[in-house]
Amino acid sequence: MNSDPIPDPARLTAWVHGDVQGVGFRWWTRSRALELGLVGSATNTVDRRVLVVAEGPSAACGRLLELLESGGTPGRVDNVVASWGAPRGGLDGFVER
């Protein structure tokens, strides 16, 4: 993560690497995001990663990132590459793709 301040509200973009497809990871991520009041998506990619995009209060986005990195997820997370930005809007709910 860079040293720029995280905007509030924020947009978290996280690329999750590991054994995260076909194990309930996107459902788990959606559940945690909804509990935190976030909107966005969790999307499988062709290279077996999951792309998580979440928008909402920066503290809630930060908590979601902590949960993604916690080791308590379904499957196995080897690495999470995250970036922060200002929310773009246009998101409704939190969806699995």
Side-chain angles (χ1 to χ4, degrees):
M1 188 165 76
N2 62 33
S3 60
D4 294 337
I6 298 170
D8 196 8
R11 178 184 181 99
L12 167 67
T13 302
W15 292 93
V16 184
H17 302 250
D19 181 20
V20 290
Q21 290 191 13
V23 294
F25 183 85
R26 290 177 302 142
W27 177 88
W28 180 90
T29 300
R30 177 182 180 272
S31 297
R32 301 299 79 79
L34 290 173
E35 290 170 357
L36 292 165
L38 300 171
V39 296
S41 62
T43 307
N44 282 340
T45 63
V46 295
D47 61 1
R48 308 286 300 158
R49 295 181 294 173
V50 170
L51 170 61
V52 177
V53 175
E55 290 187 358
S58 60
C61 288
R63 179 64 183 139
L64 180 61
L65 180 58
E66 290 173 358
L67 291 167
L68 294 173
E69 297 173 327
S70 72
T73 67
R76 184 193 75 248
V77 173
D78 295 332
N79 187 32
V80 179
V81 178
S83 63
W84 294 91
R88 298 180 189 167
L91 301 172
D92 187 30
F94 201 96
V95 299
E96 300 172 53
R97 297 185 179 144

